[in-house]
DNA sequence: TACCAAATGATAATGATTGTCAAGTACAAA
DNA sequence: TTTGTACTTGACAATCATTATCATTTGGTA
């Protein structure tokens, strides 16, 4: 992610804070900037480790809380890994995932044909859909070699 | 899930155990049967609570281990919830999920057009894909009312 | 029936996440 | 600019989910 995109995301965050009456703190800014550095799907713990170099002494609790706040505000997303640890993703645009059923690794992919997915009408369920992800399940190269 | 389908799944399990030299124990049978009773996505803890009525005193550890075994054998799947608890799913056929971005509830849906998804060629990534799921992200009725 | 490899159960250990609350800070109002 | 206040932060404890360990038991086969 280039500098400009990152800066824009931070500015968007600041604007949303102002308009929603949410304090725009240095910690929150540092955490968002740190997540934007990851091109994969870091855990809260990994974000905490990374943000510590930028903001020494920042509390683990704050990182956990802020990540959830950022998700709620739509600035980052939660990645859907099968494992038992929550992972975050700076990517908010539509993209998709390859998930290995053996080692549970998740890799991002982009594919125009997947993006063109016909989103079904879910209004009867009361569900308003505004985004989607395709999860391709299979076995990765490494695990196939093992078997 | 009707009785016959359930029975067939158990028999399939037994056959796979025999052919793979995996002991077919009463505990494993009870756990599989219990998961098949759930029409949603139970956690290991929920499965343990439920299986206890059928098999009093069964160990929590055994439930955790067996659920993973069943996933590895392809008899059940892991559901991909955003939260930090692993959830299981008796459904092994292709189906899709509605995920509420507020309360994180996950609801199964079926849709023929989604099933007809053009699976992209991932061989260059060394990935062998044999299944996929679409995750429709949005906001559920209850959460929309709150907002 | 006896053997053995693998599973089970009890328990402890670990790891992730959340709850609590005193102290600090952002931001709006004066 | 100063002040007040609600919200956030950080330290720490508590909880919850999951995994590791190991002695004991059991399924499956010779």
């Amino acid at each position: 992610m280039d500098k400009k995109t990152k800066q824009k995301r931070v500015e968007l965050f600041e604007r949303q804070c102002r308009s929603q009456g949410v304090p725009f703190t240095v910690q929150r800014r540092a955490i968002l900037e740190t997540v934007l550095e990851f091109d994969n799907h870091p855990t809260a713990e990994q974000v905490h480790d990374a943000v510590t170099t930028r903001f020494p002494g920042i509390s683990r609790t704050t990182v956990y809380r802020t990540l959830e706040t950022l998700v709620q505000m739509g600035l980052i997303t939660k990645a859907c890994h099968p494992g038992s640890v929550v992972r975050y993703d700076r990517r908010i645009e539509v993209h998709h995932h390859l998930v290995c059923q053996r080692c549970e690794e998740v890799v991002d992919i982009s594919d125009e044909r997947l993006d063109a997915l016909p989103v079904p009408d879910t209004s009867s369920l009361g569900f308003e859909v505004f985004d989607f992800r395709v999860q391709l399940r299979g076995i990765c190269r490494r695990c196939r070699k093992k078997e």
Side-chain angles (χ1 to χ4, degrees), chain A:
Chain A
M1 184 178 270
D2 60 288
K3 266 195 175 170
K4 261 197 184 148
T5 318
K6 209 155 69 174
Q7 198 187 329
K8 284 207 171 163
R9 190 82 67 91
V10 175
E11 284 166 11
L12 173 63
F13 178 39
E14 181 160 8
R15 258 178 286 130
Q16 283 193 221
C17 283
R18 307 282 180 219
S19 71
Q20 293 175 34
V22 173
F24 181 68
T25 66
V26 278
Q27 288 93 337
R28 282 176 175 165
R29 186 200 177 105
I31 291 166
L32 174 57
E33 283 175 348
T34 302
V35 176
L36 297 182
E37 308 266 317
F38 283 91
D39 65 356
N40 53 8
H41 307 155
T43 64
E45 218 54 39
Q46 289 173 312
V47 174
H48 177 253
D49 287 352
V51 79
T52 292
T53 66
R54 184 189 301 253
F55 197 115
I58 193 168
S59 159
R60 178 173 275 99
T61 314
T62 301
V63 173
Y64 275 89
R65 271 187 305 222
T66 300
L67 288 169
E68 279 310 301
T69 305
L70 292 172
V71 170
Q72 290 306 313
M73 292 176 78
L75 287 149
I76 61 174
T77 59
K78 269 191 189 182
C80 256
H81 283 233
S84 62
V85 187
V86 176
R87 289 171 172 278
Y88 297 90
D89 192 343
R90 71 181 181 191
R91 300 180 79 171
I92 50 179
E93 74 280 10
V94 172
H95 68 284
H96 311 286
H97 290 142
L98 285 168
V99 183
C100 177
Q101 303 288 281
R102 287 284 170 276
C103 67
E104 304 197 331
E105 189 194 19
V106 176
V107 179
D108 290 329
I109 58 162
S110 292
D111 186 280
E112 288 182 5
R113 287 167 73 207
L114 293 182
D115 296 349
L117 190 80
V119 174
D121 180 24
T122 54
S123 53
S124 66
L125 294 161
F127 226 98
E128 184 187 8
V129 171
F130 44 72
D131 187 13
F132 62 87
R133 299 293 151 93
V134 178
Q135 223 182 69
L136 300 171
R137 303 174 162 209
I139 304 192
C140 71
R141 177 179 286 141
R142 214 174 325 136
C143 290
R144 275 166 65 203
K145 276 190 186 161
K146 276 190 212 157
E147 291 187 0

